[in-house]
Amino acid sequence: MKDGFGCLWILPDPEIGSGRADRILDELLSTLDDVVEVPRAVDTAAAPEQLPRELGHDIWATGTGADGGPGSFDGGFDYDDGFGDWDPPVAAPHATAPAPDTDLAASSVTERLAKELGLDGDPVAGLTSDAEGRAPVLVVRAWNEDDSVTLSQLLRRLQAAVKDAGLPPSRRPRLLIAARLADLAVDALESLDPSLYRPHWWWSVWSRLDTAILVAEAGTRLRTVPDRSTPRKHIMEAVRRETVAEVCGPDLLLAASLAELWTGEIAALGPVLATCRSSTGAPVQSEQNPAAAYAPAPEPSRRPAWATGLLDSWEGQVRCTPAEWIARPGGPDRLGKLVWQAQNRVLLPLIDDARARIIALLPGVVVRTVRHVVETYVDRGIREGNGNTADLGSMELGEIWTAVRHREFRFSRTQRNRIDTLRTARNKLAHRCPLDDEGLRRLVEELTA
C-alpha cells in the first residue's frame, strides 16, 4: 500500500460467499512486501455460492468498471488488476485456510496478531515504538472474525499510536481490513482517520464488459458440440447474449444462470428469469439520486440492499437485480425496456447497413426522376438537397417505403416486403418498443436474405 495509507475494504456478501473476495485478496497480497496475515479466529467463512458448475472456477477476479476494481483503491493499492499475465484458477471453489488450533480460536485478534509477529505483549506498542523497525501490512479477513468490537479497537489504537509516534509514511504499520458490512462494528467507518486510512467500497466495479464476457464464457462452456453457425444464428445469438447482459447488469450470478437456461425466446424471458434467483421478498426503493451511481460508495439508505447483492452501480446507473422486481407491479414493463435497449444495441447498426444497401439500388429503379422523388418524399425541413442522386442517400426507411407504395421505384414483391419489414422494426425500436419473437424472426430473415 503506497503512501503509508491503510485501508478498510468493504465488499458485498456474494463476493465473500462465492470465494471471489479471497482470491482477489490473495492476488493483491502476492504483490506486497512484508505482509502479516492474522490467522482466522473461528471457522466462520461463508460457504461458496452455488454457481453453475461450468462456471464454478470463477473467471471474475477483478472488474473493468469505471471504478477499476481493487486496483484503484482510494487507500493507495498499486498492483496489477489481474487481467495481464495472471491466469485465473480453473479449479473450482477456493481452498479455505486450515482450521485454527485451539489456542488461536480462543484468542482475540490482537493476541493472534502478536503471536504471528513474534512479539510479547501489545503488538501495537511493539510495532510503533521503533521508528526504524518493521512496517508490515497487517491483513485481517473480517469475515473470519467473531468479534467486530475488538477489531475496531485494534484499528483505533493503531491509528492513535502511529500518530503519537510521528512515524513517516514509509515506516508506518498499516492495517488492511477486508470485510462485509455485517463484520464491522457500528462505528468502524467513523473511526477511520482520513490522514491514515481510506475506505474502499466494492461499488461500480463490474462493467458491461464483465457481464458480456461472462455470458459469452457460459455459452462456450455449454456448447458440447461445435455449432454450425449461420448468419441468422449469429445475429440471434448476439441478441440473446446482449439481452442477458442488459437485463442482469452487475448481477453476475444471475447472468450465469440466465445464460445457461434461456434459449432466446422473448416470451419466455420473464418466466425463466423468475426461476434463476429467488427474491428476498423485500422491495428495494426505486427512487434515487441521479448522481448516486458515480459516488465512491452506495448511499447509506441503500447499503443493506447492496450488502446482500441486490443492487450495484453499473454503467452509470444504480441497478437493482431483476430478481427483486420481475414479479412486482411494473416488472414486465421494466423488463421490456431492458430488452429494447439490448435489441437497439445489436439490431440498429444492422438495419442501417440494410438501408444503405437499398439506397444503393434506388438510382437504378426510379420510375420518374430523382428530383421528383427527393422533392416529394424527402423531408426538406430536416435535410436540404439539390434534387440530385446524392440526395437519395439521405432517405429514411419510412420515406423509401412511402415512395415504394406510390410506385416511384421498380421493386419486386420480395424487395418491397424486405423494405416494409425493416421499416416496421426500425419504427418500433425508435419508439422504445422491443420486437416480439415473430417480429425479431422476420427481421433477422430479411437481414440475412
Side-chain angles (χ1 to χ4, degrees), residues 105-399:
S107 61
S108 70
V109 63
T110 304
E111 292 168 333
R112 281 178 279 118
L113 175 59
K115 183 174 181 179
E116 196 69 14
L117 289 167
L119 297 174
D120 293 327
D122 183 11
V124 173
L127 287 169
T128 58
S129 60
D130 183 2
E132 300 301 322
R134 291 179 65 183
V137 176
L138 312 172
V139 181
V140 180
R141 304 184 196 228
W143 49 85
N144 292 333
E145 296 295 322
D146 60 352
D147 187 351
S148 61
V149 174
T150 301
L151 181 58
S152 180
Q153 290 172 346
L154 173 63
L155 174 60
R156 287 175 179 272
R157 292 181 57 240
L158 186 60
Q159 289 181 136
V162 165
K163 295 192 79 171
D164 288 344
L167 297 177
S170 62
R171 303 310 308 163
R172 294 171 183 167
R174 293 143 291 167
L175 267 172
L176 166 57
I177 301 175
R180 301 168 294 191
L181 275 180
D183 300 322
L184 300 175
V186 292
D187 63 345
L189 284 167
E190 291 74 13
S191 70
L192 293 182
D193 184 331
S195 67
L196 297 174
Y197 280 80
R198 303 283 176 81
H200 178 79
W201 295 78
W202 190 263
W203 172 255
S204 193
V205 172
W206 304 122
S207 72
R208 182 185 302 280
L209 178 60
D210 292 305
T211 312
I213 293 175
L214 173 63
V215 173
E217 176 75 3
T220 300
R221 291 180 173 276
L222 292 170
R223 193 180 299 120
T224 56
V225 179
D227 186 17
R228 234 174 142 183
S229 183
T230 64
R232 181 182 181 279
K233 286 182 179 179
H234 182 77
I235 295 174
M236 294 296 283
E237 177 63 8
V239 173
R240 188 187 76 88
R241 290 184 180 183
E242 188 63 35
T243 301
V244 173
E246 184 64 46
V247 167
C248 297
D251 192 336
L252 300 187
L253 181 63
L254 179 63
S257 298
L258 189 61
E260 177 181 352
L261 298 175
W262 184 54
T263 61
E265 185 181 355
I266 304 299
L269 178 57
V272 172
L273 188 60
T275 67
C276 289
R277 179 173 171 180
S278 60
S279 167
T280 62
V284 179
Q285 64 183 69
S286 58
E287 298 78 11
Q288 65 185 48
N289 174 3
Y294 298 99
E299 294 177 313
S301 64
R302 289 175 168 266
R303 287 175 187 176
W306 165 83
T308 57
L310 299 183
L311 60 84
D312 204 341
S313 171
W314 191 78
E315 299 294 314
Q317 295 179 310
V318 176
R319 288 285 300 269
C320 178
T321 176
E324 287 304 298
W325 50 257
I326 188 62
R328 304 186 191 281
D333 291 340
R334 193 169 176 179
L335 179 61
K337 178 183 177 182
L338 296 175
V339 172
W340 163 75
Q341 290 177 174
Q343 291 180 350
N344 251 9
R345 197 169 288 110
V346 175
L347 298 174
L348 281 185
L350 300 178
I351 293 174
D352 196 57
D353 288 345
R355 167 185 163 272
R357 292 193 293 272
I358 292 170
I359 284 176
L361 301 174
L362 297 184
V365 296
V366 66
V367 173
R368 285 191 270 187
T369 65
V370 170
R371 178 176 292 275
H372 168 75
V373 171
V374 171
E375 291 181 347
T376 305
Y377 299 99
V378 175
D379 187 346
R380 303 301 291 275
I382 299 177
R383 301 182 298 280
E384 293 297 329
N386 299 315
N388 55 34
T389 301
D391 294 333
L392 292 176
S394 68
M395 293 188 74
E396 299 291 347
L397 286 167
E399 295 168 341

Side-chain angles (χ1 to χ4, degrees), residues 7 9 24 28 67 69-77 79 176 199-200 202:
C7 183
W9 183 23
I24 295 167
L28 167 62
D67 185 84
S72 64
F73 280 3
D74 292 338
F77 293 97
Y79 74 106
L176 166 57
H200 178 79
W202 190 263

